Amino acid sequence: MDFQPTEDQRDLRAGVRGLLEGRYGREALRAAVDAAAGAGTAVDRGLWRELGEAGFFALRLPESEGGVGLGLPEAVLVFEEAGRALVPGPLVATHLAAGVVPGAAAGTAVVTAFDLAGDLVAYLGEADAVLGAAVLPVGEPVRAADPLTPLHRVARQGGAEESASASVSAYVSEGALLTAALQVGSALRTVELAVRYAGEREQFGQPIGAFQAVKHSCAQMLVRAEVARTAVYAAAVTGDPGEAAGAKLLADEAAVRNARDCLQVHGGMGFTWEADVHLHLKRAWVRAEQWRTAAEAEELLAAELLDSAG
């Protein structure tokens, strides 16, 4: 069986990368960070609509319903590109809401979800709907690690919020896999950033990439990212919840550890606000808590192992 992307899938990925490079490059990313610090908004509505027009959210809707008619394998490819570009916003929730929430498929609506443990909801202040909820709950803004993932605390007292959380459970496996694809994109991007900087930064008259410790660090980053990417692609083909959980575990680790190692390669520069490395690390921390945490994934995999052993 050939698990390599087809020509059409490669073209799809290239098209999404081209769109994001032209519409959401580094300057746009930094501008978004500044806008979030000033106005408290992180979602670019214009970009959101462009993604909708490109079929990002309606990718898996049947053509008879106005969608593109593709599947999970294609979805993880485009989400990988969004993760590479650090596109902010509830991409996964809006994608899952296509065909359920009016405007989600077209990108004219921003849909978030109860995908974080506890009482936190991301992007609630900018959302038009919450997946599975009849009305938007009232939330209190709280400080977030990632400047482009604003968080609100919602008081859970029974009723609509719990019903919405229960309805989201039907989407957890797919949500976890798509989030894993975002993490893979980030992990691969930090490999690129580390390798580029290692080739430019010089010490003792030569690029730091010539030093064995830096070479080993970059090689380990690449291995982590590629192993996670393979797991994500395989889970997208099989659609198995256990494989999706395993892919989320590997992708979370790759995104977080690669960002940390990339920061180390950058040295003191990596700790500055001007560097992009910290944005990847902070986003990876948040995504690791979305849809399925490491503990939840481990529990699911352990239960599957016990079932198979019995």
Side-chain angles (χ1 to χ4, degrees):
M1 183 175 293
D2 185 5
F3 282 97
Q4 291 296 319
T6 65
E7 183 176 353
D8 287 343
Q9 289 171 333
R10 290 194 294 269
D11 289 343
L12 173 65
R13 179 166 56 189
V16 173
R17 178 173 296 194
L19 168 64
L20 294 177
E21 286 179 345
R23 184 63 175 77
Y24 200 77
R26 186 178 188 277
E27 289 185 4
L29 171 63
R30 302 306 304 208
V33 173
D34 293 338
T41 58
V43 178
D44 182 336
R45 289 277 183 161
L47 174 60
W48 211 254
R49 288 191 294 271
E50 288 183 42
L51 290 174
E53 291 169 2
F56 189 98
F57 302 116
L59 192 72
R60 294 190 297 140
L61 275 183
E63 294 183 30
S64 59
E65 297 179 21
V68 183
L70 299 178
L72 266 178
E74 289 77 24
V76 298
L77 293 177
V78 300
F79 271 79
E80 180 184 315
E81 292 303 317
R84 182 179 182 275
L86 277 183
V87 176
L91 296 163
V92 172
T94 303
H95 177 90
L96 294 174
V100 177
V101 176
T108 55
V110 175
V111 183
T112 189
F114 291 99
D115 57 3
L116 286 163
D119 55 2
L120 295 177
V121 181
Y123 303 105
L124 182 62
E126 301 175 74
D128 300 301
V130 177
L131 187 63
V135 296
L136 279 171
V138 177
E140 175 187 2
V142 298
R143 186 167 181 172
D146 176 18
L148 291 176
T149 308
L151 300 175
H152 283 73
R153 179 170 285 112
V154 175
R156 303 209 178 202
Q157 300 175 348
E161 288 82 5
E162 279 67 21
S163 298
S165 297
S167 69
V168 164
S169 64
Y171 299 100
V172 167
S173 182
E174 291 182 356
L177 183 60
L178 295 174
T179 304
L182 292 170
Q183 293 281 58
V184 166
S186 179
L188 289 166
R189 179 57 179 159
T190 50
V191 174
E192 295 174 3
L193 293 173
V195 170
R196 185 178 68 188
Y197 188 79
E200 296 172 349
R201 180 74 169 92
E202 292 190 358
Q203 286 185 351
F204 308 109
Q206 60 181 326
I208 61 172
F211 300 117
Q212 190 174 51
V214 177
K215 288 181 181 179
H216 285 179
S217 181
C218 291
Q220 289 169 351
M221 291 173 65
L222 180 61
V223 169
R224 282 192 213 109
E226 290 295 345
V227 168
R229 176 154 66 171
T230 299
V232 168
Y233 287 5
V237 170
T238 65
D240 181 75
E243 293 191 11
K248 180 66 160 52
L249 270 175
L250 289 169
D252 286 344
E253 180 184 28
V256 172
R257 292 187 63 183
N258 276 17
R260 287 175 173 169
D261 285 353
C262 182
L263 190 149
Q264 290 295 322
V265 170
H266 279 71
M269 178 64 183
F271 288 91
T272 64
W273 186 253
E274 289 75 15
D276 294 341
V277 182
H278 72 96
L279 296 174
H280 281 275
L281 179 57
K282 292 170 181 175
R283 188 72 59 83
W285 281 336
V286 174
R287 287 176 179 154
E289 299 300 317
Q290 289 182 300
W291 292 103
R292 181 166 276 142
T293 64
E296 292 166 345
E298 289 166 353
E299 287 291 334
L300 175 60
L301 292 171
E304 288 196 352
L305 286 173
L306 285 174
D307 290 341
S308 63

